[in-house]
Amino acid sequence: MMNLLRLLGGRTASAPVARERLQILLAHERGLRGQPDLLGLLRAEILAVVSRHVVLDPEKVIVRMDRGKNVSTLEVDIEVPHGFERSPAMAAT
Amino acid sequence: MAKVLVVTSGKGGVGKTTSTAALGAALAQLGEKVVVIDFDVGLRNLDLVLGAERRVVFDLINVVQGVAKLPQALIRDKRLENLWLLPASQTRDKDSLTDEGVRSVIAELRTKFDWILCDSPAGIERGAMLAMRYADEAVIVTNPEVSSVRDSDRIIGMLDSKTVKAEKGERVEKHVLITRYDSARAARGEMLSIDDILEILATPLLGIIPESQDVLRASNVGSPVTLNNAASAPARAYFDAARRLMGDTVTMMVPVERKGLMNRLLGRRAA
């Protein structure tokens, strides 16, 4: 009898679930939209700062981000060619 | 002053073309001079929904490339003398549409019409971008369904950043048009409600088009629903939406079918 009642009209409403999922997802996506290329920006600025002191191959600067449930990590991998060669601008000063 | 209005959604199949045809026809029926432009190059359908598919000679791309003059490509509706169609090309490559070409076509249309309705293709690629590029206003067609609401949110973000108005620091006036709405299912909690959608999208409501057999029946015969069955629930909802676009204050409600059960059964059989 209970099963029959559930079949007839007691189905749980799914719209509140839809609403909540959308709110969480869109809050996340709108955040990303504001800063369209966070990684690109980080890479460019890190490259600029490090290049002031050390000669770098721009191709060898890799910035990676990993979004985890509890912890997110930002990985910066910079390959320095031929040991540390000081940037000419800085070496002069 | 002419108004350029893009009908867009991101997601496909939510009713952009149907709504462009119905709103365009409703505005024309209310006395406005209207042109509807199909931006879906390669997948044109506005001509079919308007029943003008056999009258297409030149198209938007022909005009953009200078092969035809604008008046040669415009098709006047046979039933509504105020309604015109500028069809998309069915055969050309969609890259033949250029920003400059669209700009000049719209600038010319502005001098001749009260309303220029741009029917956007689905997606967020070039065609959709060009359809919204010169818009003053936007109608975002949304179904009460998670994927449609998400895509609408994305399109709203684009309207606020990629249009000429946005780049000048002005705002494209945006309206949400909810289509295929089933108030009984929403009342039972089976479908996102109007309030849910508006709260999530934070954009004002233009109208609520109820799920109805009249919409398919109208497109089957190539006639906008406001013309094919002006008394039907979706037609009345589109008329209300068109009046709101014209600046009238119209009480928001979900139109319901007026017919009784018996009539509906008979009507269904007759159709």
Side-chain angles (χ1 to χ4, degrees):
Chain A
M1 191 59 193
M2 280 306 284
N3 282 341
L4 188 65
L5 279 177
R6 199 172 295 157
L7 275 175
L8 285 176
R11 252 179 307 176
T12 38
S14 54
V17 181
R19 174 197 157 97
E20 201 187 317
R21 289 177 60 220
L22 271 172
Q23 279 171 333
I24 293 168
L25 175 72
L26 293 183
H28 175 70
E29 287 184 346
R30 285 173 190 152
L32 293 180
R33 212 184 288 151
Q35 25 182 297
D37 190 14
L38 176 63
L39 287 184
L41 201 68
L42 278 172
R43 191 180 166 281
E45 292 193 7
I46 289 169
L47 180 63
V49 169
V50 181
S51 307
R52 264 193 258 152
H53 305 281
V54 182
V55 175
L56 285 181
D57 177 356
E59 302 263 300
K60 301 273 168 72
V61 177
I62 296 159
V63 178
R64 234 181 261 119
M65 189 182 280
D66 223 350
R67 285 175 196 273
K69 216 176 200 173
N70 300 313
V71 183
S72 296
T73 57
L74 180 67
E75 185 188 334
V76 183
D77 184 355
I78 303 174
E79 195 181 310
V80 183
H82 319 302
F84 282 86
E85 190 178 319
R86 300 205 53 157
S87 289
M90 286 306 289
T93 56
Chain B
M1 218 184 64
K3 275 193 176 160
V4 179
L5 180 134
V6 61
V7 180
T8 185
S9 69
K11 191 178 183 319
V14 296
K16 280 181 299 297
T17 300
T18 307
S19 295
T20 306
L23 286 174
L27 286 166
Q29 284 167 283
L30 294 169
E32 302 284 285
K33 194 174 176 197
V34 183
V35 59
V36 291
I37 313 178
D38 193 342
F39 273 83
D40 207 344
V41 175
L43 289 170
R44 77 166 173 229
N45 275 317
L46 192 52
D47 55 332
L48 194 55
V49 171
L50 284 170
E53 70 276 14
R54 295 199 296 182
R55 300 172 60 207
V56 177
V57 181
F58 295 113
D59 56 54
L60 176 60
I61 304 259
N62 294 145
V63 178
V64 163
Q65 297 184 332
V67 174
K69 293 247 185 305
L70 187 54
Q72 294 178 290
L74 287 171
I75 302 168
R76 189 177 207 160
D77 191 272
K78 286 201 163 154
R79 303 145 296 200
L80 295 171
E81 60 169 16
N82 279 352
L83 179 64
W84 303 72
L85 164 70
L86 181 53
S89 169
Q90 184 68 339
T91 50
R92 299 304 179 92
D93 182 54
K94 58 184 191 310
D95 293 331
S96 11
L97 213 51
T98 60
D99 191 329
E100 170 53 29
V102 172
R103 191 200 60 74
S104 75
V105 167
I106 287 186
E108 191 175 345
L109 290 171
R110 271 183 192 275
T111 65
K112 297 182 167 130
F113 291 91
D114 299 318
W115 290 91
I116 299 152
L117 268 59
C118 305
D119 182 20
S120 173
I124 51 171
E125 307 300 320
R126 193 184 162 78
M129 303 277 286
L130 286 175
M132 70 168 65
R133 184 86 186 128
Y134 296 93
D136 304 311
E137 295 192 34
V139 170
I140 301 122
V141 182
T142 307
N143 288 170
E145 186 266 325
V146 286
S147 57
S148 174
V149 175
R150 180 201 208 171
D151 292 358
S152 292
D153 190 74
R154 183 82 196 272
I155 284 290
I156 288 169
M158 288 174 59
L159 286 163
D160 288 338
S161 59
K162 312 270 173 153
T163 52
V164 168
K165 275 214 147 188
E167 285 172 4
K168 283 195 290 187
E170 298 168 27
R171 291 185 71 83
V172 172
E173 201 180 319
K174 301 174 301 260
H175 320 263
V176 170
L177 182 70
I178 297 172
T179 56
R180 309 202 70 163
Y181 189 70
D182 184 332
S183 40
R185 297 200 72 186
R188 290 198 297 270
E190 296 171 12
M191 185 182 261
L192 284 167
S193 71
I194 303 293
D195 287 345
D196 287 342
I197 298 169
L198 297 182
E199 191 195 324
I200 291 167
L201 295 179
T203 301
L205 180 64
L206 180 69
I208 306 158
I209 314 300
E211 172 79 68
S212 165
Q213 304 198 6
D214 286 294
V215 173
L216 179 60
R217 203 174 289 150
S219 77
N220 281 345
V221 298
S223 170
V225 70
T226 54
L227 200 59
N228 196 50
N229 186 358
S232 66
R236 284 182 285 135
Y238 277 120
F239 274 119
D240 284 356
R243 285 198 186 90
R244 290 184 194 109
L245 285 175
M246 290 167 68
D248 294 0
T249 309
V250 184
T251 313
M252 189 66 69
M253 54 174 187
V254 190
V256 289
E257 305 282 344
R258 271 177 187 154
K259 296 178 196 165
L261 182 63
M262 275 312 285
N263 278 338
R264 201 184 297 180
L265 288 174
L266 290 170
R268 201 169 288 178
R269 207 165 292 158

